Amino acid sequence: MGAGKRSSVRWRIVLIYFMLVFIAMTIVSVFLMDRIEDYQINSLKSNIESTISGSNLLNSLGQYDDLSEHSEEIRRSFDMGWSSSFTEEISVVGKDLIICASSNRSLIGRSAGEVFDTGLIISTLANGEDGESDSVSGEIPVKNFCFAVRSASGDVTGALFVRADLSDIRSFISSSRMLFIEAILLALAITV
C-alpha cells in the first residue's frame, strides 16, 4: 500500500471520528440544554405556587363575593403587604375582567384583556382551574400564571394573575449554550 493511500485512509478515519464526536456532543448538549431550561422553568413555577399558597392570598381574596365591588379595600390590603412579598408582577382580576389591584400600579382599573393573556384568564374564570402560558410583554419573555379566586361558597369570583420575567432564565440558557459550543469546539480540536 502506498504512502498516499495510507495518508488518505488515515484522514478518512480522522474525519469519521471527528463527525462521530461532533454528532454525539451536539446531541448531548441539546438534551442537556433542554433539561436545564425545563428545570429552571419548573423551579420558577414551584416557587410561585408555594409563595401563593404560603401567603394565604387566595383565601384572603375569597372573603369577597365580588372583587370589583371591594377593589378599594383589596387595593389597601394589597399595598399593605401582599405585593411586597412577591418579586413577580401580581394582579387581582375581577369577574368583569377589570384589574382591582396590582403590584404594577399603572395596571389598576384597566381591562385585563388589554394587558394579560385573555384566554388564560377567561379559562380560569370559566373552569375554576389554575393555568399557565408563555407570552411576550414588550420585548420581555414572560411566564403567566393564573389562579382561581373562590368565595366561601366555592364560586369563582376572580383570578390572581402572576407574570414572571424570563429574561434571566433566557440569559442563563444563552450563556450555557455558548459554554457548550466552546466545549464542542475544544472536543473537536482534541479529536483532530
Side-chain angles (χ1 to χ4, degrees), residues 127-144:
N127 303 328
E129 295 177 8
D130 301 341
E132 62 183 76
S133 68
D134 295 313
S135 64
V136 177
S137 176
E139 293 183 14
I140 300 169
V142 293
K143 185 81 168 168
N144 304 306

Side-chain angles (χ1 to χ4, degrees), residues 53-160:
S53 64
S55 70
N56 208 22
L57 180 56
L58 292 174
N59 289 337
S60 297
L61 292 171
Q63 70 182 333
Y64 305 108
D65 290 329
D66 186 344
L67 296 176
S68 296
E69 278 183 22
H70 300 279
S71 60
E72 281 300 319
E73 190 177 337
I74 292 169
R75 205 170 299 141
R76 278 194 304 275
S77 298
F78 199 78
D79 291 342
M80 288 173 60
W82 291 343
S83 61
S84 63
S85 63
F86 296 93
T87 56
E88 312 301 339
E89 182 183 84
I90 182 168
S91 301
V92 178
V93 180
K95 250 188 132 48
D96 57 0
L97 294 181
I98 300 299
I99 301 169
C100 303
S102 179
S103 57
N104 181 349
R105 292 188 179 278
S106 66
L107 300 179
I108 297 171
R110 292 179 63 184
S111 169
E114 297 172 7
V115 192
F116 301 139
D117 182 344
T118 311
L120 180 60
I121 293 175
I122 290 174
S123 173
T124 298
L125 291 174
N127 303 328
E129 295 177 8
D130 301 341
E132 62 183 76
S133 68
D134 295 313
S135 64
V136 177
S137 176
E139 293 183 14
I140 300 169
V142 293
K143 185 81 168 168
N144 304 306
F145 299 93
C146 197
F147 302 92
V149 175
R150 294 182 183 281
S151 66
S153 62
D155 297 330
V156 177
T157 58
L160 186 66

Side-chain angles (χ1 to χ4, degrees), residues 8-75:
S8 173
V9 169
R10 187 179 304 139
W11 279 111
R12 284 184 187 162
I13 291 171
V14 168
L15 182 62
I16 290 169
Y17 191 63
F18 179 87
M19 290 305 294
L20 287 173
V21 169
F22 175 73
I23 290 168
M25 292 286 292
T26 302
I27 290 170
V28 167
S29 64
V30 167
F31 176 77
L32 284 175
M33 291 309 305
D34 188 46
R35 291 292 175 236
I36 289 171
E37 186 170 10
D38 285 348
Y39 173 78
Q40 293 285 329
I41 297 292
N42 287 335
S43 179
L44 173 72
K45 179 181 176 181
S46 175
N47 287 341
I48 287 175
E49 287 174 346
S50 66
T51 302
I52 294 292
S53 64
S55 70
N56 208 22
L57 180 56
L58 292 174
N59 289 337
S60 297
L61 292 171
Q63 70 182 333
Y64 305 108
D65 290 329
D66 186 344
L67 296 176
S68 296
E69 278 183 22
H70 300 279
S71 60
E72 281 300 319
E73 190 177 337
I74 292 169
R75 205 170 299 141

